[in-house]
Amino acid sequence: MITKKLKASTLGLHAAIHRTGELEHSQAIFQTSSFIFRSAEDAAAVFAGKKSGNIYSRFTNPTVQAFERRLAILEGGESCIATASGMAAILTTCLVLLKQGDHLLASRTLFGTTISLFNTVLTKFGVEVSYADPCDLADWRAKLRPNTRLLFLETPTNPLGEIADIAGLAKIARGADAKLAVDNCFLTSALQKPMELGADLVVHSATKYLDGQGRCIGGAIVSDRKIGEQLFGFMRSGGPSMSPFNAWVFLKGLETMSLRMKAHCAHAQQVAEWLAKHPRVKRVYYAGLKSHPQHRLAKRQARGFGGIVSFELKGGQAAAFRLINRVELFSITANLGDARSTITHPSTTTHNRMGAEARKVAGIGDGLVRLSVGLEDPGDLIADLKQALG
Ligand SMILES: *Cc1c(COP(=O)(O)O)cnc(C)c1O
């Protein structure tokens, strides 16, 4: 029934439905740790891989598999592995694709915990890590080493919304016999499909827009079948698995994702345009603004600019704290991608651990505020920002 011709919004609702004999309309949750076998012979055949069947929810659970299949279809990949968190997805990707002595070349502007993971965990196992400017292909080319096996990036970046050229980086990776992994958390497959642009893997924090309502922690890795089998092998023995309940919540999230992402984009655009004209605002970082240095690249490689808007206030940290403490509709939380708008001060929270010097290089100032623009009426959000800035 499901064909390639169906659009993303339809696939989000209809792809990979697993219906039981009870004929439930909403999908069932298989909330069980293990599965039984009809006979000893059956158990032996399933364990030997001669017969398909569920064994144990660390690596085979129908609810988790339904989520994995639906996300694989949406991202245009052959395989998907769901993980306990976005960080587990990134760790799994690195442990499967890299070994001692290999080099990981990553964008220097990444989710803060991703940088901590690379610098403190991977290096402990003898993986070399270095960083390149996400927007400068020549810098990536110059930083390749003979042992580079993985390129890793996010686009748009957090919190400054810089845009990396996915197709250009895919070419560089291919030429170096390395894989390209893209963290597609900020735009999701509803707006950007890195694998169509040549990326080998897409990683997700499902915690953000895949859920869309801030309820569960989860992650996923989409890839081709061959890498998928290696990832599955690690899932089975390493165990960074997603729980069936969380998979069910994320399946529900995927049902509305296309529609939500469209609304997030439209609301963020209005908020960004309004902020850009405000006298207390020094600069707005949002790829949907024509003044954004990579506006055209963003338009070419994605179908929207997403819901994250950052801006630098005149008056540094004091002005940023004043705004954050005065808004009423924006929750003060480091999370993003929720239906409800959130507000964050990156330099003292999400990007604090990277240190002042690195923040300066990355351009994350003390007056910087990051908004995750939600599904509230955008006029209400603007009125709230107006009273808080006034
Ligand atoms: C939140 C986030 C992660 C980490 O995901 P968790 O689900 O919190 O582990 C990774 N990358 C990006 C871009 C994120 O925003």
Side-chain angles (χ1 to χ4, degrees):
M1 194 236 337
I2 298 303
T3 71
K4 281 209 156 157
K5 288 194 199 101
L6 295 175
K7 299 285 191 293
S9 52
T10 311
L11 289 170
L13 289 154
H14 288 276
I17 286 184
H18 179 106
R19 188 161 285 141
T20 75
E22 302 294 340
L23 301 183
E24 67 282 355
H25 192 207
S26 176
Q27 274 168 283
I29 311 178
F30 291 87
Q31 190 64 52
T32 177
S33 54
S34 68
F35 297 83
I36 60 166
F37 306 96
R38 293 191 192 284
S39 66
E41 288 79 5
D42 226 42
V46 173
F47 267 84
K50 286 180 188 146
K51 196 175 166 187
S52 67
N54 299 311
I55 298 177
Y56 189 59
S57 286
R58 186 187 333 108
F59 54 101
T60 56
N61 177 281
T63 314
V64 176
Q65 283 164 349
F67 166 70
E68 290 171 338
R69 279 203 303 279
R70 186 174 291 174
L71 187 61
I73 289 166
L74 290 173
E75 285 285 354
E78 292 171 346
S79 166
C80 173
I81 296 292
T83 55
S85 66
M87 291 320 302
I90 297 170
L91 175 65
T92 299
T93 300
C94 293
L95 291 181
V96 165
L97 294 180
L98 297 168
K99 61 180 187 317
Q100 183 180 25
D102 286 347
H103 172 232
L104 162 66
L105 181 54
S107 163
R108 73 162 185 236
T109 322
L110 290 175
F111 184 65
T113 311
T114 306
I115 292 187
S116 309
L117 172 77
F118 291 169
N119 290 349
T120 62
V121 178
L122 292 188
T123 53
K124 213 169 82 175
F125 294 96
V127 171
E128 297 168 20
V129 180
S130 63
Y131 296 93
D133 180 338
C135 308
D136 181 358
L137 293 179
D139 192 40
W140 289 80
R141 244 180 258 115
K143 286 184 175 148
L144 287 172
R145 299 176 190 172
N147 55 343
T148 305
R149 288 295 158 268
L150 179 62
L151 270 54
F152 189 97
L153 66 108
E154 281 164 28
T155 182
T157 64
N158 177 15
L160 295 179
E162 300 160 287
I163 307 297
D165 178 349
I166 298 172
L169 285 159
K171 239 179 252 160
I172 292 174
R174 226 171 296 128
D177 197 23
K179 302 289 184 206
L180 173 65
V182 177
D183 182 333
N184 204 25
C185 181
F186 272 41
L187 293 186
T188 79
S189 62
L191 304 176
Q192 172 170 276
K193 293 173 87 170
M195 294 184 74
E196 281 181 357
L197 298 165
D200 300 287
L201 301 103
V202 167
V203 303
H204 267 289
S205 167
T207 316
K208 313 295 164 52
Y209 290 108
L210 303 198
D211 173 359
Q213 293 182 56
R215 297 165 290 194
C216 286
I217 302 275
I221 313 157
V222 184
S223 67
D224 65 15
R225 192 160 290 117
K226 189 165 163 235
I227 297 173
E229 278 166 14
Q230 293 171 269
L231 294 166
F232 179 79
F234 179 80
M235 177 65 57
R236 185 169 184 163
S237 48
S241 327
M242 177 179 282
S243 86
F245 178 77
N246 286 10
W248 181 82
V249 171
F250 295 132
L251 267 168
K252 291 281 143 199
L254 291 181
E255 290 184 355
T256 56
M257 188 169 73
S258 282
L259 204 55
R260 284 188 284 108
M261 292 315 290
K262 261 183 223 152
H264 282 296
C265 291
H267 298 184
Q269 186 75 33
Q270 284 189 46
V271 169
E273 285 174 8
W274 182 83
L275 283 168
K277 290 189 212 123
H278 198 283
R280 291 230 157 96
V281 174
K282 206 192 271 178
R283 185 173 167 187
V284 180
Y285 300 89
Y286 185 65
L289 295 178
K290 288 203 179 74
S291 58
H292 187 284
Q294 288 116 10
H295 174 69
R296 285 173 59 192
L297 171 61
K299 225 171 148 173
R300 198 168 69 227
Q301 78 178 9
R303 281 175 293 280
F305 308 103
I308 309 299
V309 177
S310 292
F311 55 102
E312 181 80 31
L313 282 172
K314 293 171 187 166
Q317 181 171 321
F321 274 28
R322 184 170 174 270
L323 168 69
I324 290 167
N325 289 331
R326 288 176 67 148
V327 284
E328 287 168 8
L329 291 175
F330 293 78
S331 310
I332 308 173
T333 166
N335 195 25
L336 58 89
D338 197 295
R340 281 177 287 179
S341 292
T342 67
I343 190 163
T344 312
H345 185 242
S347 79
T348 54
T349 60
T350 53
H351 290 68
N352 185 249
R353 278 195 295 170
M354 74 193 273
E357 197 49 47
R359 270 199 303 279
K360 206 169 163 195
V361 173
I364 299 166
D366 290 338
L368 190 75
V369 174
R370 187 191 73 192
L371 303 178
S372 169
V373 180
L375 303 181
E376 301 92 342
D377 182 274
D380 287 343
L381 295 177
I382 288 169
D384 191 25
L385 289 167
K386 187 176 178 187
Q387 66 77 20
L389 281 169

